[in-house]
Amino acid sequence: MSAEKDVTACILIIGNEILSGRTQDLNLAYIAKGLGEVGVTLKEARVIPDIEATIIAVVNELRAKYDYLFTTGGIGPTHDDITSECIAKAFGVPWTVHPDAHKHFLNFYAPGELNEARMRMAHTPEGATLVYNPVSRAPGFRMGNVYTFAGIPRVMQGMFDGIRGELKGGKPMQSRTVGTSLAEGVLAKGLGEIQSRYDDVEIGSYPIMRRGTFGVNLVLRGRDEARLAVAAKEVAAMVRALGDTPVEE
Amino acid sequence: MSAEKDVTACILIIGNEILSGRTQDLNLAYIAKGLGEVGVTLKEARVIPDIEATIIAVVNELRAKYDYLFTTGGIGPTHDDITSECIAKAFGVPWTVHPDAHKHFLNFYAPGELNEARMRMAHTPEGATLVYNPVSRAPGFRMGNVYTFAGIPRVMQGMFDGIRGELKGGKPMQSRTVGTSLAEGVLAKGLGEIQSRYDDVEIGSYPIMRRGTFGVNLVLRGRDEARLAVAAKEVAAMVRALGDTPVEE
């Protein structure tokens, strides 16, 4: 690995619907890709239920452990939307009306429509900065190194895209893929040897189903494009030496 | 919640390819649904990289915390497949050839094909029970309360389906869904009131995009079918009282 200190991140997915299997999470992969592009290394992701004590404890554990923490889910107006209040409790600050969110809501909702439930969405931990929601109403927010986003993928994506420019990462991660129809068991020895000579390139071997038969994607990731190119060339040469034609991406 | 003690579980997804966003995880939702059907409550899921010290520490933390721990990924023959060895280290036992896996491999591979890399897949933590792989070669295994599965969804599904009969859960979780096109902000008050009267039914409100506009799925989950039916009826009546026709599933 590079000598440069990694900028690290964790994603905390909050929601019973993910843990019940009812909803397929799509936010992890989206945020993960975006972080790679700005040179932030995603070190962990967690999924936890909508339980106050759990959310508070885990937010405090993870915001201390990583440079950035991103939470998704639980910022709507209903009784099960408790993320925002829990973040306030985790930071030990009051949960108060954010004046900008309030003003935005007063403009948007007709008189009488801005009920108590909707006003919940205008609350943030005191001192938070709003994160714009380009799709619906509830804003996200940043509190210290914690970004709190919606759970609905389209909304979360809009929020993340809005703030990614302010993330301070290192050199972006690059990747190369060498595809082959050789078996992993045939590739393993040579691949391990190449990996042992490149400590700044992370080489992963991922079997995939391709038209009903197994294939393997050999994925090289690293921050130095030149080193990556050389390592990918070695991997492709190894595949050729084993009698297959590599598919390079 | 029910007075009956929950049987709990955690899923540990091991793999850099999930944290890079390259691969979309599909295993969490599959295992989660299966656990619900056998009355095991999934309390947490984590995604961690292929780093030995991390895997060992997290496996030991989670196997102590939950009744069952399921891991996915990292049991193939290549250098980045380190899950099996790490589980052995987490349990403090040697990582040795499993005689049944060895016999199976000797039957399957032609003489000369069973190389060192493939023999890695015949190793398990000493004392582990094999979990059958109906798709490819590397077997999964059970060690104490930890089940170790492959990462490829089709393989993982086959392994999970093979062992789900041996899981000892409580009463299966049931669910009802009431769909509406009303806004969450309109539903929130009444929904919170219903939730406050049913502590054995978990009511979640999930906005969804439906033909370009927002709708909401009100999801009720619980173990007592009669209570669930009564609560769902109340939710549907509330939707009707607010002027919409509920869609009940």
Side-chain angles (χ1 to χ4, degrees), chain B residues 68-219:
Chain B
Y68 291 107
L69 174 61
F70 301 90
T71 78
T72 67
I75 61 164
T78 56
H79 66 275
D80 56 334
D81 290 309
I82 60 172
T83 300
S84 176
E85 280 170 277
C86 290
I87 304 269
K89 286 182 183 168
F91 278 85
V93 299
W95 189 59
T96 52
V97 173
H98 193 291
D100 295 345
H102 193 196
K103 200 158 73 180
H104 173 64
F105 280 27
L106 286 170
N107 282 333
F108 180 80
Y109 289 109
E113 276 189 354
L114 185 49
N115 59 23
E116 203 182 321
R118 283 174 169 144
M119 269 308 287
R120 280 171 49 80
M121 300 192 290
H123 284 67
T124 64
E126 205 160 272
T129 309
L130 294 187
V131 169
Y132 179 63
N133 176 344
V135 179
S136 55
R137 298 281 76 71
F141 57 86
R142 181 181 69 76
M143 184 73 195
N145 64 338
V146 182
Y147 284 89
T148 295
F149 298 144
I152 306 174
R154 225 184 90 189
V155 180
M156 190 286 303
Q157 289 166 19
M159 288 181 174
F160 180 77
D161 292 347
I163 63 90
R164 51 177 278 169
E166 65 191 57
L167 301 175
K168 311 248 174 287
K171 246 180 130 177
M173 198 54 106
Q174 312 276 340
S175 87
R176 299 275 188 124
T177 300
V178 179
T180 167
S181 55
L182 292 170
E184 275 197 307
V186 170
L187 296 158
K189 188 161 178 262
L191 200 66
E193 281 165 9
I194 297 173
Q195 174 69 85
S196 69
R197 279 183 280 108
Y198 289 87
D199 64 351
D200 54 348
V201 175
E202 171 193 300
I203 307 179
S205 171
Y206 305 113
I208 49 160
M209 300 294 292
R210 208 182 252 149
R211 295 174 225 98
T213 61
F214 277 101
V216 178
N217 278 329
L218 304 171
V219 179

Side-chain angles (χ1 to χ4, degrees), chain A residues 6 16 21-22 26 51 70 84 124 126 138 141 147 178 190 205 217 221 223 225 236 240 243:
Chain A
D6 261 7
N16 296 342
R22 191 179 194 286
L26 299 171
I51 295 173
F70 301 91
S84 177
T124 64
E126 205 160 272
F141 58 85
Y147 284 89
V178 179
S205 172
N217 277 330
R221 299 182 82 239
R223 294 199 161 89
E225 210 157 344
R240 254 181 238 106

Side-chain angles (χ1 to χ4, degrees), chain A residues 12 14 48-60 63 71 73-75 79-95 120 123-125 141 143 146 148:
Chain A
L12 179 59
I14 302 169
I48 59 170
D50 306 308
I51 295 173
E52 181 178 294
T54 305
I55 298 172
I56 295 171
V58 173
V59 163
N60 277 336
R63 72 185 174 99
T71 78
I75 60 164
H79 66 275
D80 55 336
D81 289 310
I82 61 172
T83 299
S84 177
E85 280 170 278
C86 290
I87 304 271
K89 287 183 184 168
F91 278 84
V93 299
W95 190 59
R120 281 171 51 79
H123 284 67
T124 64
F141 58 85
M143 184 72 195
V146 181
T148 294

Side-chain angles (χ1 to χ4, degrees), chain A residues 192-214:
Chain A
E193 281 165 10
I194 296 172
Q195 175 69 86
S196 68
R197 279 183 280 107
Y198 289 87
D199 64 352
D200 53 349
V201 176
E202 172 193 298
I203 308 179
S205 172
Y206 305 114
I208 48 160
M209 300 294 292
R210 209 183 252 148
R211 294 173 225 101
T213 61
F214 277 101

Side-chain angles (χ1 to χ4, degrees), chain A residues 127-201:
Chain A
T129 309
L130 294 187
V131 169
Y132 178 63
N133 175 345
V135 179
S136 54
R137 297 282 76 71
F141 58 85
R142 180 181 70 77
M143 184 72 195
N145 64 338
V146 181
Y147 284 89
T148 294
F149 299 145
I152 306 174
R154 226 184 88 189
V155 180
M156 189 288 302
Q157 290 166 18
M159 288 180 173
F160 180 77
D161 292 348
I163 63 89
R164 50 176 279 168
E166 64 191 58
L167 301 175
K168 311 248 175 287
K171 247 180 127 176
M173 198 53 106
Q174 312 276 338
S175 86
R176 299 275 189 124
T177 301
V178 179
T180 168
S181 54
L182 292 170
E184 275 198 307
V186 170
L187 297 158
K189 189 163 178 260
L191 201 65
E193 281 165 10
I194 296 172
Q195 175 69 86
S196 68
R197 279 183 280 107
Y198 289 87
D199 64 352
D200 53 349
V201 176

